Amino acid sequence: MSERIGQIARHLNYPKGLLAGQVAIITGSGQGIGAECARLFANEGAKVVVSDIDGPKAEEVASKIRSSGGEALAVPGDLLKDGYIKELVRKAAEFGNGKIHIIVNNAGFTWDAVIHKMTDKQWDTILSLHSTVPFKLVREAAPYFRVKDGEPRNIVNISSTSGVHGNAGQANYAMAKAGVIGLAKTIAKEWGPSFGVRANTVAFGHIETRLTANKEAGAFVEVDGQKVALGIPEKQKKSAGPVPYLDIPLRRPGTATEAASAVLAVASPLSSYISGQTISVTGGRNI
Ligand SMILES: NC(=O)c1ccc[n+]([C@@H]2O[C@H](COP(=O)([O-])OP(=O)(O)OC[C@H]3O[C@@H](n4cnc5c(N)ncnc54)[C@H](O)[C@@H]3O)[C@@H](O)[C@H]2O)c1
């Protein structure tokens, strides 16, 4: 897939890649969709800043990119902890010789409960990570986006069908993922006119990562010492009916590479006149 994108880029006369010379911060790029974004962006000539709470995974992604000839810097840290966002932007700007061109607000996890059982902690954590963090990161990076140097700048927020359509059991996540759609539109309106900054949202349906793997696989994150299990219970997946993925016209989940390819497409100059939009990457679900 990434080889194909490279061929297209070369064909369209981007000999050094679609993102040549651009500096991109990708949050949550230690694994899953973010890691694929990092790999594809680097293949297209971007200098990639790999941000993730999981230090070893962030280092691994960055070192793989470097060993295949790309440029990447791992900046591990917890986006929910004070100070990390400042450090991330400072290190990205150093790495980029004073420039940052792209932010992909991707980091996150789910912590589900039906409304009447959802705790304040679940609510606050998910809203902070999926909505407040993207705002704070964009605000911190404002001096690198509110510039007139003739180079492209753009922000891609990652949302979900839960944010666009709502989802039972995910009031916190749905609200947070709806929030980043409004944030992207607002950035487009504030920073588009004078600085040419584009801002869009990519909303995913079912993409195969640890977030959608069987819960029984045992993946978890820790929030202040509390274990939060990740994934979807196998029973819930099976109860979807006799035809798998009946609600998806393509009848299958997407891969992380397919998801990341859509992010690359939105961030690339092929989308230079697309701003303020929400692009659904769902295999046709919810049409
Ligand atoms: N997988 C799907 O089906 C799907 C669907 C819709 C939206 N999304 C969204 O896509 C994005 C990526 O998800 P994914 O499926 O690749 O999940 P993933 O679990 O594979 O990757 C998410 C990454 O974010 C990192 N992260 C989590 N909390 C963090 C924090 N506090 N600070 C720094 N890093 C942190 C994790 O360590 C992890 O590496 C998320 O925003 C998710 O909500 C995913």
Side-chain angles (χ1 to χ4, degrees), residues 105 138 155-157 159 163-164 177-193 197-202 274-279:
N105 279 308
V138 167
I155 287 159
V156 184
N157 287 345
S159 184
V164 179
K177 288 302 202 191
V180 288
I181 294 172
L183 176 64
K185 288 176 196 260
T186 303
I187 298 164
K189 287 183 175 178
E190 284 195 16
W191 295 355
V197 175
R198 298 191 296 113
N200 292 287
T201 304
V202 178
I274 297 177
S275 196
Q277 303 305 306
T278 305
I279 291 112

Side-chain angles (χ1 to χ4, degrees), residues 206 232-247:
H206 184 159
I232 302 172
E234 206 175 349
K235 213 172 102 196
Q236 192 178 318
K237 287 187 182 173
K238 287 204 173 124
S239 68
V243 180
Y245 309 111
L246 188 59
D247 58 338

Side-chain angles (χ1 to χ4, degrees), residues 253-273:
T255 65
T257 309
E258 288 176 308
S261 299
V263 178
L264 169 62
V266 171
S268 86
L270 304 183
S271 302
S272 61
Y273 200 54

Side-chain angles (χ1 to χ4, degrees), residues 153-238:
R153 297 284 186 303
N154 81 84
I155 287 159
V156 184
N157 287 345
I158 300 303
S159 184
S160 158
T161 44
S162 301
V164 179
H165 302 283
N167 194 22
Q170 291 195 316
N172 53 355
Y173 185 69
M175 175 129 154
K177 288 302 202 191
V180 288
I181 294 172
L183 176 64
K185 288 176 196 260
T186 303
I187 298 164
K189 287 183 175 178
E190 284 195 16
W191 295 355
S194 299
F195 306 106
V197 175
R198 298 191 296 113
N200 292 287
T201 304
V202 178
F204 297 125
H206 184 159
I207 307 297
E208 278 177 328
T209 67
R210 71 173 180 163
L211 275 194
T212 50
N214 286 346
K215 205 166 199 165
E216 294 73 11
F220 67 90
V221 291
E222 265 189 56
V223 180
D224 299 332
Q226 190 178 346
K227 274 190 180 179
V228 178
L230 302 176
I232 302 172
E234 206 175 349
K235 213 172 102 196
Q236 192 178 318
K237 287 187 182 173
K238 287 204 173 124

